Amino acid sequence: MEKKVALLPGDGIGVEVMNAAVKLMHHVAAKYDLTIETSESLMGGCSYDAHGTPLTDETIELCYSSDAVLLGAVGGYKWEDLEHHLKPEAALLKLRKSLGLFTNIRPAKVYPSFVNSSSLKESAIIGTDFVVFRELTGGIYFGEPRGYDENKGYNTMVYEKYEIERIAHQAFKVAQKRKKILTSVDKANVLEVSQFWRKVVEEVSKEYPDVELSNMYVDNTAMQVVRDPKQFDVIVTSNLFGDIISDIAGMITGSLGMLPSASLGDKYALYEPVHGSAPDIAGENKANPIAMIASVGMMFDLSFGLQEAAILIDKAIEKTLDHGYRTADINLDDGNVVTTDRMADMIIKNFDIIYNENRESVFTL
Ligand code: IPM
Ligand code: MN
């Protein structure tokens, strides 16, 4: 099998974690007779510096012609004062919209050896394993009218029926394969757009009678995710609420440096860590590559149908953490602090061990 992957390392630590993850990607691909042809392009602040825009048409074209896109992170102090449409963040939103990536999947899972890295108590978080489905190309992020003048600022939270239906279907389908419970998050006690969201999700739920749907207000969800995260399995929500809830979910796992994400549309798929470009530690070989590596895992599963590879990557991450290897951001328990590259190399090494064990056990069956 041959696949084309577009690499957009972006800014800051995006470059380092991308290098580490790409090494692992080729290593894993080779085990599954997959040849991955990569092409790299600029996006974010680095693209602005080179071309005067954070996202060129060439970069978008490269994504259109690839089987999957891997994105590092964009942004940094240097570009903070640029006009809104020239900021690295604007590039991210434009890319999501251009590729039609309406479903953003952000898993929040606590690795057992890692419970001490969370600011929450072990008893509250152990066993946490849920996934947030965030609508990514609609809602208040894109609604019109929008703007501000001397006297007022305004945005519009609007959802078309089809936009709610398509993400609801995605979330229900995954809920069917997991614990069959789905929580739809809204603010229906105040917002009409949420009342409509709720109505449409309930309509869609009739096609999934085996999944138990519950509705929860977003403020309560923020509280519940911290109070008792184990109650959740699949959460589906709008763009803004999903942005906030997924950051909260991130801290349960200890560090945003651990969280991968997948953004899917009808035709294209993009994988990126949830964390940002961390300009304060960029270039120091200190960044945590786990979120980027886990994003590669999601790509193997969701874009290339190699679920086994994804599971083994996850196990390799777990084993590496179990052995006490830590990057600086997650070193709360006096672990062995290693560089970005070394962490990735250890995950590759553990991948090989687990891969071989796995093969042997299949072989001896
Ligand atoms: C995210 C980020 C982005 C968002 C920003 C950088 C535009 O916070 O991916 O969660 O709000 O979607
Ligand atoms: Mn965010």
Side-chain angles (χ1 to χ4, degrees), residues 58 112 124 150-151 183 202 240 245 249 271 306 321 355:
E58 289 72 46
E150 302 84 67
N151 301 312
T183 311
E202 278 168 1
L240 180 63
I245 295 297
Y271 301 86
L306 293 172
L321 293 171
Y355 177 85

Side-chain angles (χ1 to χ4, degrees), residues 231-265:
Q231 71 185 285
F232 296 105
D233 189 50
V234 182
I235 289 176
V236 63
T237 191
S238 58
N239 206 341
L240 180 63
F241 299 160
D243 180 45
I244 298 165
I245 295 297
S246 62
D247 262 32
I248 301 175
M251 279 325 288
I252 295 172
T253 64
S255 166
L256 282 186
M258 304 288 292
L259 285 190
S261 82
S263 301
L264 311 175

Side-chain angles (χ1 to χ4, degrees), residues 5 12 84 95 113 187 203 209 217 230 291 301 306 356:
V5 174
H84 189 68
L95 188 64
S113 67
K187 188 70 186 171
E203 199 60 40
Y217 298 138
K230 289 193 289 279
D301 179 10
L306 293 172
N356 290 333

Side-chain angles (χ1 to χ4, degrees), residues 107-165:
K109 191 177 142 189
V110 173
Y111 291 99
S113 67
F114 208 65
V115 284
N116 295 330
S117 300
S118 173
S119 50
L120 302 180
K121 282 209 294 273
E122 176 173 343
S123 59
I125 60 165
I126 198 140
T128 296
D129 180 4
F130 68 87
V131 49
V132 180
F133 276 67
R134 167 188 175 193
E135 200 291 325
L136 203 61
T137 52
I140 198 164
Y141 272 56
F142 295 94
E144 298 283 349
R146 62 190 299 158
Y148 69 87
D149 56 32
E150 302 84 67
N151 301 312
K152 65 173 192 292
Y154 49 95
N155 286 90
T156 306
M157 195 186 275
V158 54
Y159 269 109
E160 301 283 339
K161 190 173 181 192
Y162 77 93
E163 294 179 299
I164 306 170
E165 283 173 344

